[in-house]
């Protein structure tokens, strides 16, 4: 059974020793960050701040900031199980004969059963407030000292495509300007920004309805983060992840639907002619992203449960909670990448590469220039377009082991020959780029080079001891009593 809501998941965490309640008064200004940062880096539990200073509402951080809790969130023992489910759905592509078509039907029907379901009422509307409310009632964090203010960091921002009417859910940080206004940090390549531009093209003086849901069952909360193609409803994918449809209720004041089990919902609009200075914000790069001009969200109604919980996360010097979320996404979407490019054996995005900076890809190389073909493929694959450095290695390199990759990749390159630069879109948060949103990317072909690629010599074998010697030494190893501590 899927988790009903955020508190249902918290109960599960409590039972498994994965939740720490903090009853001391802690300030959402900086202090919650410092505690959360130390906890996630020490592989600690989820945190429930029962008495955030200045608010009567409890705050939750580090919800899925470990592999263990991510597995609990997705109700699996390993992320491979989710990947296998995704794989089995993709497997139904292009059935051959009638029999295969018939066999496919139950799978399609099952996918159909994950479509979001509209319900008439939901806990998220237990309390409806159209006046006298203030965003400052909630324990919204100022995360880092130089932040421009307090930021909502884990919202599900919901809009509809003005052209197609299709829903989008995105997690975009929101800087609180005052009691009822925030920024909307729609980075230029994201779907929310696309909706904004397309609405503005129609009517520059108009408005775009926006709803923001905060806190729900974990799979639903991931909706905003999932890198799915435009016009594919992220809530469908959440339904697939939780194996039950996401239930949605119509908003009170805008023509949008929000998860019925949400803790808090902000309803309102963005004025299409209005931009305001947003930032700085201590970001997931480990550096501050600087001020920029972003749209403004006007809250006209807040609905929430009688005793809402405020779910938030912090980003900053890695690793943080977003590493675990990103890693889960990497595992879940690997079958999708493999379907399009079957030569991909595995990929890894180490925490220090903060997702957009480094992707290591192992391929089954089968023709000259294959590594470069894969780089170009990745640079054209949704949000993977942001990847600043792609390192392509042969399939016998374990990409999950950064040390092995460093060793083998560096041995395999003639830098001038094997490095490829391209220009294109880069992540808005890349402060090193020559221009915001535009810059260069680098591909490293660290595969073995072939004669067909102009390599004149004979590529050497990797050193490996022979089995016979190994087993002879295995047999006498203990008797030799050589002390090994495993430490340097
Ligand atoms: C904690 C967190 C904060 C994020 N903040 C932003 C943000 O402020 N702006 C943004 O464009 N993307 C942000 N992202 C990334 C988007 O959520 C992600 O790219 C998502 O897939 C965008 O959805 P879309 O493709 O529907 O636009 C954030 C992700 C996380 C995990
Ligand atoms: Mn989207």
């Amino acid at each position: 059974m899927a988790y009903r809501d955020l508190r249902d998941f918290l109960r599960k965490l409590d039972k498994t020793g994965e939740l720490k309640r903090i009853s001391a008064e802690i300030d959402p200004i900086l202090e919650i960050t410092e505690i959360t940062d130390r906890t996630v880096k020490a592989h600690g539990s989820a945190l429930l701040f029962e008495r955030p200073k200045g608010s009567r509402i409890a705050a939750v951080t580090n919800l899925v900031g470990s592999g263990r809790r991510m597995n609990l969130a997705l109700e699996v023992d390993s992320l491979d199980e989710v990947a296998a489910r995704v794989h089995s759905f993709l497997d139904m592509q292009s059935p051959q004969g009638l029999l295969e078509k018939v066999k496919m039907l139950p799978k399609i029907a099952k996918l159909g059963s994950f479509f979001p379901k509209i319900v008439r009422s939901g806990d998220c509307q237990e309390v409806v407030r159209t006046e006298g409310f203030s965003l400052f009632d909630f324990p919204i964090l100022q995360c880092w000292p130089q932040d421009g203010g307090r930021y909502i960091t884990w919202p599900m921002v919901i809009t509809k495509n003005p052209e197609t009417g299709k829903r989008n859910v995105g997690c975009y940080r929101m800087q609180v300007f005052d009691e009822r206004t925030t920024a909307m940090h729609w980075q230029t390549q994201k779907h929310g920004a696309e909706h904004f531009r397309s609405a503005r093209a129609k009517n520059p003086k108009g408005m775009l309805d926006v709803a923001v849901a905060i806190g729900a069952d974990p799979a639903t909360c991931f909706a905003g983060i999932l890198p799915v193609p435009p016009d594919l409803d992220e809530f469908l994918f959440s339904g697939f992840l939780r194996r039950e449809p996401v239930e949605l209720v119509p908003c009170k004041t805008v023509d949008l639907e929000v998860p019925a089990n949400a803790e808090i919902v902000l309803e309102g609009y963005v004025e299409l002619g209005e931009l305001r200075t947003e930032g700085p914000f201590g970001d997931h790069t480990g550096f501050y992203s600087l001020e920029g001009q972003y749209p403004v969200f006007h809250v006209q109604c807040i609905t929430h449960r009688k005793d809402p919980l405020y779910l938030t996360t912090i980003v900053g010097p890695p690793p943080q909670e977003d590493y675990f979320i990103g890693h889960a996404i990497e595992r879940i979407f690997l079958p999708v990448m493999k379907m399009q490019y079957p030569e991909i054996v595995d990929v890894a995005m180490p925490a220090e590469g903060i997702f957009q900076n480094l992707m290591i890809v192992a391929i089954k190389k089968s023709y000259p220039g294959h590594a470069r073909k894969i780089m170009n493929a990745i640079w054209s694959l949704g949000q993977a377009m942001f990847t600043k450095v792609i390192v392509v290695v042969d399939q016998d390199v374990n990409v999950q082991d950064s040390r092995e990759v460093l060793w083998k990749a560096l041995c395999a390159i003639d830098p001038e020959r094997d490095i490829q630069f391209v220009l294109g879109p880069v992540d808005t948060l890349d402060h090193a780029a020559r221009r915001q949103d535009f810059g260069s990317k680098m591909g490293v072909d660290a595969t073995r080079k072939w004669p067909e690629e102009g390599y004149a010599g004979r590529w050497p074998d990797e050193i490996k001891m022979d089995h016979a010697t190994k087993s002879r030494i295995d047999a006498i190893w203990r008797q030799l009593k050589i002390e090994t501590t495993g430490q340097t």
Side-chain angles (χ1 to χ4, degrees), residues 167-170 172 190-192 195 223-224 226-234 383:
R167 178 178 18 251
N168 189 66
V169 192
Y172 318 109
K190 305 295 173 76
H191 300 150
H195 291 187
L226 299 172
V228 302
D231 276 3
L232 197 153
D233 190 344
E234 281 89 351
Q383 292 185 37

Side-chain angles (χ1 to χ4, degrees), residues 263-291:
E263 295 290 325
I264 300 162
V265 177
L266 315 177
E267 301 182 8
Y269 57 91
V270 161
E271 275 189 43
L272 301 170
E274 184 184 20
L275 296 177
R276 206 168 143 174
T277 303
E278 193 264 9
F281 177 69
D283 228 311
H284 82 122
T285 56
F287 295 86
Y288 287 95
S289 55
L290 303 179
E291 294 95 330

Side-chain angles (χ1 to χ4, degrees), residues 87-103:
H87 181 81
S88 107
F89 267 103
L90 296 173
D91 233 16
M92 64 197 192
Q93 28 136 3
S94 56
Q96 297 300 317
L98 183 68
L99 191 67
E100 273 192 51
K101 277 192 185 131
V102 173
K103 272 200 274 182

